[in-house]
Amino acid sequence: MPERRRGAALEKALLDAAWEVLTDTGYARFTVDAVVKRAGTSPPVLYRRWSDRDDLVRAAVLHTLKESRLDVPDTGSLREDVLTLMREINSTRVQLITVVQTHLADYHRETGTSPAELRDPLVTGRAEALDVLFGRAVDRGEVAPELLTERIKSLPFDLLRHEILTTFAPVPDHTLEEIVDTIFLPLVR
């Protein structure tokens, strides 16, 4: 008989199962029963943690975004740090970005939420990562700190996400360089 999971291990198993069901079936056919079956547990175990299907979907998406957070590069230049991070996102996260956007349209419509609420960098831990990356650039004198608004810091990554969602494919490297060199860097220097 398998060992009984508890606490964080059980929660991770439930959230991983929820993400798998969501990516396999989409939000419209996402059910708590399917998650319980895939996780090998019971409905009361799940409902003690999340009150309903939508709470579970939100938790599964945020869990997956936190788990998929990338390391912050430190190449010695802002341009290369941003490009390195964008290239890593581009090569490893296209499916994640596509699933989050396409499978959750009904979720957003039904719950009255926006996609930005599930990508909140404060919730997913991405804000701290970007603060480190941009803090190094400020310390090196590459950027003026007063120009680094939250919108400007997220701009290259927002444009990357937009490019991915218009093609559902990785973005050519010359486009990443164009985003950084002609749009982003002129705004922070």
PDB file of all heavy atoms in Angstrom, residues 154-179:
ATOM      1  N   SER A 154       8.355  45.162 -16.969  1.00  0.00           N
ATOM      2  CA  SER A 154       7.662  43.994 -17.529  1.00  0.00           C
ATOM      3  C   SER A 154       7.538  44.056 -19.053  1.00  0.00           C
ATOM      4  O   SER A 154       7.208  43.056 -19.688  1.00  0.00           O
ATOM      5  CB  SER A 154       6.279  43.837 -16.896  1.00  0.00           C
ATOM      6  OG  SER A 154       5.407  44.851 -17.337  1.00  0.00           O
ATOM      7  N   LEU A 155       7.822  45.206 -19.643  1.00  0.00           N
ATOM      8  CA  LEU A 155       7.596  45.415 -21.074  1.00  0.00           C
ATOM      9  C   LEU A 155       8.230  44.355 -21.980  1.00  0.00           C
ATOM     10  O   LEU A 155       7.536  43.783 -22.831  1.00  0.00           O
ATOM     11  CB  LEU A 155       8.051  46.816 -21.490  1.00  0.00           C
ATOM     12  CG  LEU A 155       7.869  47.147 -22.970  1.00  0.00           C
ATOM     13  CD1 LEU A 155       6.382  47.186 -23.325  1.00  0.00           C
ATOM     14  CD2 LEU A 155       8.533  48.472 -23.294  1.00  0.00           C
ATOM     15  N   PRO A 156       9.519  44.052 -21.860  1.00  0.00           N
ATOM     16  CA  PRO A 156      10.070  43.068 -22.804  1.00  0.00           C
ATOM     17  C   PRO A 156       9.392  41.699 -22.675  1.00  0.00           C
ATOM     18  O   PRO A 156       9.181  41.007 -23.677  1.00  0.00           O
ATOM     19  CB  PRO A 156      11.558  43.003 -22.457  1.00  0.00           C
ATOM     20  CG  PRO A 156      11.727  43.695 -21.162  1.00  0.00           C
ATOM     21  CD  PRO A 156      10.532  44.577 -20.956  1.00  0.00           C
ATOM     22  N   PHE A 157       9.004  41.343 -21.480  1.00  0.00           N
ATOM     23  CA  PHE A 157       8.383  40.039 -21.240  1.00  0.00           C
ATOM     24  C   PHE A 157       6.920  40.044 -21.695  1.00  0.00           C
ATOM     25  O   PHE A 157       6.414  39.036 -22.196  1.00  0.00           O
ATOM     26  CB  PHE A 157       8.536  39.659 -19.774  1.00  0.00           C
ATOM     27  CG  PHE A 157       9.972  39.782 -19.338  1.00  0.00           C
ATOM     28  CD1 PHE A 157      10.396  40.853 -18.579  1.00  0.00           C
ATOM     29  CD2 PHE A 157      10.918  38.849 -19.759  1.00  0.00           C
ATOM     30  CE1 PHE A 157      11.726  41.002 -18.223  1.00  0.00           C
ATOM     31  CE2 PHE A 157      12.256  38.981 -19.407  1.00  0.00           C
ATOM     32  CZ  PHE A 157      12.662  40.064 -18.635  1.00  0.00           C
ATOM     33  N   ASP A 158       6.257  41.191 -21.556  1.00  0.00           N
ATOM     34  CA  ASP A 158       4.895  41.323 -22.074  1.00  0.00           C
ATOM     35  C   ASP A 158       4.894  41.228 -23.599  1.00  0.00           C
ATOM     36  O   ASP A 158       4.027  40.575 -24.194  1.00  0.00           O
ATOM     37  CB  ASP A 158       4.272  42.655 -21.646  1.00  0.00           C
ATOM     38  CG  ASP A 158       4.023  42.741 -20.148  1.00  0.00           C
ATOM     39  OD1 ASP A 158       3.984  41.688 -19.474  1.00  0.00           O
ATOM     40  OD2 ASP A 158       3.871  43.880 -19.648  1.00  0.00           O
ATOM     41  N   LEU A 159       5.877  41.865 -24.240  1.00  0.00           N
ATOM     42  CA  LEU A 159       5.970  41.796 -25.698  1.00  0.00           C
ATOM     43  C   LEU A 159       6.312  40.375 -26.160  1.00  0.00           C
ATOM     44  O   LEU A 159       5.783  39.910 -27.183  1.00  0.00           O
ATOM     45  CB  LEU A 159       6.984  42.808 -26.216  1.00  0.00           C
ATOM     46  CG  LEU A 159       6.579  44.276 -26.050  1.00  0.00           C
ATOM     47  CD1 LEU A 159       7.723  45.207 -26.429  1.00  0.00           C
ATOM     48  CD2 LEU A 159       5.333  44.582 -26.870  1.00  0.00           C
ATOM     49  N   LEU A 160       7.163  39.693 -25.422  1.00  0.00           N
ATOM     50  CA  LEU A 160       7.476  38.295 -25.737  1.00  0.00           C
ATOM     51  C   LEU A 160       6.212  37.446 -25.646  1.00  0.00           C
ATOM     52  O   LEU A 160       5.916  36.656 -26.553  1.00  0.00           O
ATOM     53  CB  LEU A 160       8.551  37.757 -24.792  1.00  0.00           C
ATOM     54  CG  LEU A 160       8.832  36.256 -24.864  1.00  0.00           C
ATOM     55  CD1 LEU A 160       9.278  35.838 -26.265  1.00  0.00           C
ATOM     56  CD2 LEU A 160       9.872  35.876 -23.813  1.00  0.00           C
ATOM     57  N   ARG A 161       5.457  37.603 -24.575  1.00  0.00           N
ATOM     58  CA  ARG A 161       4.216  36.842 -24.411  1.00  0.00           C
ATOM     59  C   ARG A 161       3.258  37.138 -25.568  1.00  0.00           C
ATOM     60  O   ARG A 161       2.632  36.234 -26.130  1.00  0.00           O
ATOM     61  CB  ARG A 161       3.558  37.152 -23.066  1.00  0.00           C
ATOM     62  CG  ARG A 161       2.330  36.305 -22.800  1.00  0.00           C
ATOM     63  CD  ARG A 161       1.727  36.512 -21.420  1.00  0.00           C
ATOM     64  NE  ARG A 161       1.633  37.885 -20.990  1.00  0.00           N
ATOM     65  CZ  ARG A 161       2.474  38.472 -20.120  1.00  0.00           C
ATOM     66  NH1 ARG A 161       3.456  37.801 -19.558  1.00  0.00           N
ATOM     67  NH2 ARG A 161       2.317  39.737 -19.790  1.00  0.00           N
ATOM     68  N   HIS A 162       3.148  38.405 -25.943  1.00  0.00           N
ATOM     69  CA  HIS A 162       2.287  38.780 -27.064  1.00  0.00           C
ATOM     70  C   HIS A 162       2.728  38.074 -28.350  1.00  0.00           C
ATOM     71  O   HIS A 162       1.901  37.535 -29.093  1.00  0.00           O
ATOM     72  CB  HIS A 162       2.288  40.297 -27.262  1.00  0.00           C
ATOM     73  CG  HIS A 162       1.563  40.732 -28.484  1.00  0.00           C
ATOM     74  ND1 HIS A 162       0.194  40.749 -28.563  1.00  0.00           N
ATOM     75  CD2 HIS A 162       2.023  41.123 -29.695  1.00  0.00           C
ATOM     76  CE1 HIS A 162      -0.170  41.140 -29.779  1.00  0.00           C
ATOM     77  NE2 HIS A 162       0.922  41.381 -30.471  1.00  0.00           N
ATOM     78  N   GLU A 163       4.013  38.072 -28.613  1.00  0.00           N
ATOM     79  CA  GLU A 163       4.532  37.401 -29.817  1.00  0.00           C
ATOM     80  C   GLU A 163       4.208  35.910 -29.784  1.00  0.00           C
ATOM     81  O   GLU A 163       3.798  35.336 -30.788  1.00  0.00           O
ATOM     82  CB  GLU A 163       6.049  37.606 -29.933  1.00  0.00           C
ATOM     83  CG  GLU A 163       6.471  39.020 -30.254  1.00  0.00           C
ATOM     84  CD  GLU A 163       6.175  39.435 -31.680  1.00  0.00           C
ATOM     85  OE1 GLU A 163       6.147  38.579 -32.582  1.00  0.00           O
ATOM     86  OE2 GLU A 163       5.970  40.644 -31.907  1.00  0.00           O
ATOM     87  N   ILE A 164       4.396  35.282 -28.642  1.00  0.00           N
ATOM     88  CA  ILE A 164       4.098  33.845 -28.518  1.00  0.00           C
ATOM     89  C   ILE A 164       2.621  33.590 -28.774  1.00  0.00           C
ATOM     90  O   ILE A 164       2.253  32.647 -29.482  1.00  0.00           O
ATOM     91  CB  ILE A 164       4.521  33.319 -27.133  1.00  0.00           C
ATOM     92  CG1 ILE A 164       6.052  33.280 -27.028  1.00  0.00           C
ATOM     93  CG2 ILE A 164       3.922  31.938 -26.860  1.00  0.00           C
ATOM     94  CD1 ILE A 164       6.583  33.017 -25.628  1.00  0.00           C
ATOM     95  N   LEU A 165       1.763  34.427 -28.229  1.00  0.00           N
ATOM     96  CA  LEU A 165       0.328  34.208 -28.360  1.00  0.00           C
ATOM     97  C   LEU A 165      -0.219  34.531 -29.747  1.00  0.00           C
ATOM     98  O   LEU A 165      -1.323  34.119 -30.087  1.00  0.00           O
ATOM     99  CB  LEU A 165      -0.427  34.996 -27.290  1.00  0.00           C
ATOM    100  CG  LEU A 165      -0.207  34.467 -25.878  1.00  0.00           C
ATOM    101  CD1 LEU A 165      -0.841  35.378 -24.853  1.00  0.00           C
ATOM    102  CD2 LEU A 165      -0.724  33.038 -25.744  1.00  0.00           C
ATOM    103  N   THR A 166       0.542  35.259 -30.553  1.00  0.00           N
ATOM    104  CA  THR A 166       0.080  35.497 -31.922  1.00  0.00           C
ATOM    105  C   THR A 166       0.458  34.361 -32.851  1.00  0.00           C
ATOM    106  O   THR A 166      -0.130  34.219 -33.923  1.00  0.00           O
ATOM    107  CB  THR A 166       0.609  36.832 -32.488  1.00  0.00           C
ATOM    108  OG1 THR A 166       2.029  36.822 -32.452  1.00  0.00           O
ATOM    109  CG2 THR A 166       0.057  38.014 -31.712  1.00  0.00           C
ATOM    110  N   THR A 167       1.418  33.521 -32.441  1.00  0.00           N
ATOM    111  CA  THR A 167       1.867  32.424 -33.310  1.00  0.00           C
ATOM    112  C   THR A 167       1.782  31.049 -32.640  1.00  0.00           C
ATOM    113  O   THR A 167       1.874  30.039 -33.335  1.00  0.00           O
ATOM    114  CB  THR A 167       3.330  32.636 -33.729  1.00  0.00           C
ATOM    115  OG1 THR A 167       4.161  32.615 -32.554  1.00  0.00           O
ATOM    116  CG2 THR A 167       3.511  33.943 -34.481  1.00  0.00           C
ATOM    117  N   PHE A 168       1.634  31.007 -31.305  1.00  0.00           N
ATOM    118  CA  PHE A 168       1.682  29.756 -30.534  1.00  0.00           C
ATOM    119  C   PHE A 168       2.975  28.991 -30.805  1.00  0.00           C
ATOM    120  O   PHE A 168       2.995  27.760 -30.810  1.00  0.00           O
ATOM    121  CB  PHE A 168       0.453  28.876 -30.797  1.00  0.00           C
ATOM    122  CG  PHE A 168      -0.838  29.535 -30.430  1.00  0.00           C
ATOM    123  CD1 PHE A 168      -1.805  29.782 -31.389  1.00  0.00           C
ATOM    124  CD2 PHE A 168      -1.082  29.933 -29.127  1.00  0.00           C
ATOM    125  CE1 PHE A 168      -3.003  30.412 -31.053  1.00  0.00           C
ATOM    126  CE2 PHE A 168      -2.271  30.556 -28.776  1.00  0.00           C
ATOM    127  CZ  PHE A 168      -3.230  30.798 -29.747  1.00  0.00           C
ATOM    128  N   ALA A 169       4.045  29.741 -31.015  1.00  0.00           N
ATOM    129  CA  ALA A 169       5.344  29.136 -31.312  1.00  0.00           C
ATOM    130  C   ALA A 169       6.444  30.010 -30.729  1.00  0.00           C
ATOM    131  O   ALA A 169       6.218  31.187 -30.429  1.00  0.00           O
ATOM    132  CB  ALA A 169       5.514  29.010 -32.828  1.00  0.00           C
ATOM    133  N   PRO A 170       7.639  29.445 -30.580  1.00  0.00           N
ATOM    134  CA  PRO A 170       8.767  30.275 -30.128  1.00  0.00           C
ATOM    135  C   PRO A 170       9.009  31.445 -31.084  1.00  0.00           C
ATOM    136  O   PRO A 170       8.731  31.368 -32.284  1.00  0.00           O
ATOM    137  CB  PRO A 170       9.946  29.304 -30.135  1.00  0.00           C
ATOM    138  CG  PRO A 170       9.321  27.959 -29.976  1.00  0.00           C
ATOM    139  CD  PRO A 170       8.007  28.037 -30.727  1.00  0.00           C
ATOM    140  N   VAL A 171       9.536  32.511 -30.529  1.00  0.00           N
ATOM    141  CA  VAL A 171       9.775  33.750 -31.266  1.00  0.00           C
ATOM    142  C   VAL A 171      11.196  33.718 -31.837  1.00  0.00           C
ATOM    143  O   VAL A 171      12.132  33.337 -31.129  1.00  0.00           O
ATOM    144  CB  VAL A 171       9.604  34.956 -30.306  1.00  0.00           C
ATOM    145  CG1 VAL A 171       9.881  36.267 -31.006  1.00  0.00           C
ATOM    146  CG2 VAL A 171       8.209  34.929 -29.683  1.00  0.00           C
ATOM    147  N   PRO A 172      11.372  34.139 -33.095  1.00  0.00           N
ATOM    148  CA  PRO A 172      12.732  34.171 -33.668  1.00  0.00           C
ATOM    149  C   PRO A 172      13.654  35.080 -32.845  1.00  0.00           C
ATOM    150  O   PRO A 172      13.232  36.113 -32.321  1.00  0.00           O
ATOM    151  CB  PRO A 172      12.522  34.729 -35.076  1.00  0.00           C
ATOM    152  CG  PRO A 172      11.064  34.551 -35.373  1.00  0.00           C
ATOM    153  CD  PRO A 172      10.357  34.572 -34.043  1.00  0.00           C
ATOM    154  N   ASP A 173      14.917  34.693 -32.767  1.00  0.00           N
ATOM    155  CA  ASP A 173      15.878  35.434 -31.953  1.00  0.00           C
ATOM    156  C   ASP A 173      16.013  36.888 -32.399  1.00  0.00           C
ATOM    157  O   ASP A 173      16.149  37.776 -31.564  1.00  0.00           O
ATOM    158  CB  ASP A 173      17.243  34.739 -31.969  1.00  0.00           C
ATOM    159  CG  ASP A 173      18.089  35.174 -30.802  1.00  0.00           C
ATOM    160  OD1 ASP A 173      17.695  34.922 -29.639  1.00  0.00           O
ATOM    161  OD2 ASP A 173      19.144  35.807 -31.039  1.00  0.00           O
ATOM    162  N   HIS A 174      15.956  37.145 -33.696  1.00  0.00           N
ATOM    163  CA  HIS A 174      16.088  38.538 -34.160  1.00  0.00           C
ATOM    164  C   HIS A 174      14.940  39.400 -33.633  1.00  0.00           C
ATOM    165  O   HIS A 174      15.122  40.594 -33.386  1.00  0.00           O
ATOM    166  CB  HIS A 174      16.196  38.615 -35.687  1.00  0.00           C
ATOM    167  CG  HIS A 174      14.946  38.232 -36.424  1.00  0.00           C
ATOM    168  ND1 HIS A 174      13.935  39.128 -36.688  1.00  0.00           N
ATOM    169  CD2 HIS A 174      14.540  37.050 -36.935  1.00  0.00           C
ATOM    170  CE1 HIS A 174      12.958  38.506 -37.328  1.00  0.00           C
ATOM    171  NE2 HIS A 174      13.299  37.242 -37.491  1.00  0.00           N
ATOM    172  N   THR A 175      13.770  38.800 -33.403  1.00  0.00           N
ATOM    173  CA  THR A 175      12.643  39.548 -32.837  1.00  0.00           C
ATOM    174  C   THR A 175      12.898  39.851 -31.366  1.00  0.00           C
ATOM    175  O   THR A 175      12.590  40.957 -30.898  1.00  0.00           O
ATOM    176  CB  THR A 175      11.325  38.762 -33.014  1.00  0.00           C
ATOM    177  OG1 THR A 175      11.129  38.492 -34.403  1.00  0.00           O
ATOM    178  CG2 THR A 175      10.142  39.541 -32.474  1.00  0.00           C
ATOM    179  N   LEU A 176      13.467  38.901 -30.633  1.00  0.00           N
ATOM    180  CA  LEU A 176      13.817  39.160 -29.230  1.00  0.00           C
ATOM    181  C   LEU A 176      14.809  40.314 -29.145  1.00  0.00           C
ATOM    182  O   LEU A 176      14.655  41.214 -28.303  1.00  0.00           O
ATOM    183  CB  LEU A 176      14.418  37.906 -28.588  1.00  0.00           C
ATOM    184  CG  LEU A 176      13.547  36.659 -28.546  1.00  0.00           C
ATOM    185  CD1 LEU A 176      14.304  35.509 -27.889  1.00  0.00           C
ATOM    186  CD2 LEU A 176      12.237  36.923 -27.836  1.00  0.00           C
ATOM    187  N   GLU A 177      15.826  40.297 -29.997  1.00  0.00           N
ATOM    188  CA  GLU A 177      16.824  41.373 -29.998  1.00  0.00           C
ATOM    189  C   GLU A 177      16.192  42.710 -30.369  1.00  0.00           C
ATOM    190  O   GLU A 177      16.537  43.745 -29.787  1.00  0.00           O
ATOM    191  CB  GLU A 177      17.971  41.026 -30.947  1.00  0.00           C
ATOM    192  CG  GLU A 177      18.820  39.882 -30.434  1.00  0.00           C
ATOM    193  CD  GLU A 177      19.937  39.494 -31.370  1.00  0.00           C
ATOM    194  OE1 GLU A 177      20.061  40.072 -32.474  1.00  0.00           O
ATOM    195  OE2 GLU A 177      20.708  38.585 -30.987  1.00  0.00           O
ATOM    196  N   GLU A 178      15.254  42.686 -31.308  1.00  0.00           N
ATOM    197  CA  GLU A 178      14.570  43.924 -31.687  1.00  0.00           C
ATOM    198  C   GLU A 178      13.758  44.486 -30.519  1.00  0.00           C
ATOM    199  O   GLU A 178      13.775  45.697 -30.268  1.00  0.00           O
ATOM    200  CB  GLU A 178      13.669  43.661 -32.893  1.00  0.00           C
ATOM    201  CG  GLU A 178      12.989  44.913 -33.404  1.00  0.00           C
ATOM    202  CD  GLU A 178      12.112  44.625 -34.625  1.00  0.00           C
ATOM    203  OE1 GLU A 178      11.594  43.494 -34.749  1.00  0.00           O
ATOM    204  OE2 GLU A 178      11.951  45.552 -35.425  1.00  0.00           O
ATOM    205  N   ILE A 179      13.071  43.618 -29.794  1.00  0.00           N
ATOM    206  CA  ILE A 179      12.301  44.061 -28.628  1.00  0.00           C
ATOM    207  C   ILE A 179      13.220  44.741 -27.613  1.00  0.00           C
ATOM    208  O   ILE A 179      12.919  45.821 -27.104  1.00  0.00           O
ATOM    209  CB  ILE A 179      11.552  42.871 -27.980  1.00  0.00           C
ATOM    210  CG1 ILE A 179      10.399  42.411 -28.871  1.00  0.00           C
ATOM    211  CG2 ILE A 179      11.053  43.240 -26.579  1.00  0.00           C
ATOM    212  CD1 ILE A 179       9.767  41.087 -28.432  1.00  0.00           C
TER     213      ILE A 179
END
